[in-house]
Amino acid sequence: MFDTFRITHPSNLQQNESLPPLVRVGHFCYQSADIPALLPLVGVHGLCFDTDTSTRKLANRQMEYIVLNLLGSMPSEELVVTLVDIGLNTNFPILSSLDLPNIRFVTNRSALKEELERIQEHARYVSTKCLSYNYNDLREYNDSTDFKEPYNVICIANFPKEFSTSEIDAISLLIEEGERCGLVIMMNMDTTLFPENNSYNNSQYAK
């Protein structure tokens, strides 16, 4: 068994022009060895951290760590990060302190609606315009052209707190259909926060 798990920051990040297939989330410390802990980022619908009140903060910190690695390893014009932090805007403190053109902040319901519409429109554009020439996904398209479309990474803190049923539906659709279009959704989720009388459950978002 592994003794402990700790978050570490790697050095010498390699510049990439697409999302890495795996992301480092820390290290397992086993005896005297540090073993990288990796999660898949390509070929999946996203990353979902199943949390409760005692683990939400750690999950938000983990998402920050992943995004910081992506920001340091990809050109800014090829990656757009949306931070969804409805309410106090305190769940991504490091990223919130950065003044970067490819980070978008969503801190209220009105901005959330606009951002979801923007992401849906970009996904439709990629699907109909970019992937209509026998490309399987955005990675293949970007590898074959000089006119690259950005990847979209969405980080959602404390889902589904402060989310309406229609917003949950919109995010569910993006999770289902966005992977080919270069969309990755990361969230921490507490199923006890879902609206009453709903049909959502942990398995729907964990797949």
Side-chain angles (χ1 to χ4, degrees), residues 2-182:
F2 292 111
D3 297 326
T4 59
F5 173 80
R6 60 184 173 86
I7 296 174
T8 58
H9 293 271
S11 59
N12 300 323
L13 292 175
Q14 183 178 357
Q15 192 79 0
N16 300 306
E17 293 187 351
S18 60
L19 288 176
L22 297 170
V23 290
R24 183 180 299 181
V25 295
H27 281 76
F28 289 106
C29 304
Y30 180 66
Q31 297 179 355
S32 59
D34 280 346
I35 302 174
L38 304 172
L39 287 176
L41 197 62
V42 174
V44 297
H45 293 285
L47 298 177
C48 180
F49 297 90
D50 188 7
T51 63
D52 54 30
T53 54
S54 66
T55 55
R56 290 178 199 159
K57 185 176 181 179
L58 178 61
N60 290 331
R61 182 185 176 194
Q62 186 63 78
M63 288 191 288
E64 273 203 308
Y65 173 84
I66 294 172
V67 170
L68 286 168
N69 284 341
L70 294 177
L71 289 169
S73 62
M74 293 183 64
S76 60
E77 65 273 11
E78 295 180 20
L79 175 68
V80 177
V81 176
T82 298
L83 304 176
V84 181
D85 190 2
I86 306 297
L88 298 178
N89 188 27
T90 59
N91 290 295
F92 302 118
I94 298 175
L95 292 170
S96 297
S97 68
L98 300 179
D99 184 17
L100 295 177
N102 58 333
I103 298 182
R104 303 170 67 91
F105 299 96
V106 174
T107 58
N108 59 71
R109 297 281 297 279
S110 176
L112 175 62
K113 181 177 183 295
E114 293 178 3
E115 187 64 8
L116 288 176
E117 291 175 350
R118 181 196 70 81
I119 293 169
Q120 290 170 334
E121 182 62 30
H122 184 259
R124 282 193 293 267
Y125 172 81
V126 170
S127 179
T128 58
K129 300 296 184 180
C130 303
L131 304 185
S132 59
Y133 300 101
N134 298 320
Y135 298 112
N136 290 320
D137 52 33
L138 185 62
R139 177 187 295 266
E140 285 190 8
Y141 173 81
N142 281 348
D143 286 345
S144 65
T145 180
D146 293 331
F147 302 98
K148 302 182 187 299
E149 288 293 326
Y151 292 88
N152 279 276
V153 174
I154 308 171
C155 293
I156 305 175
N158 305 334
F159 183 82
K161 186 178 180 181
E162 305 289 348
F163 285 75
S164 68
T165 300
S166 62
E167 291 159 352
I168 294 174
D169 286 338
I171 290 171
S172 178
L173 183 62
L174 289 174
I175 292 172
E176 287 291 329
E177 301 181 357
E179 191 259 327
R180 290 182 66 242
C181 304

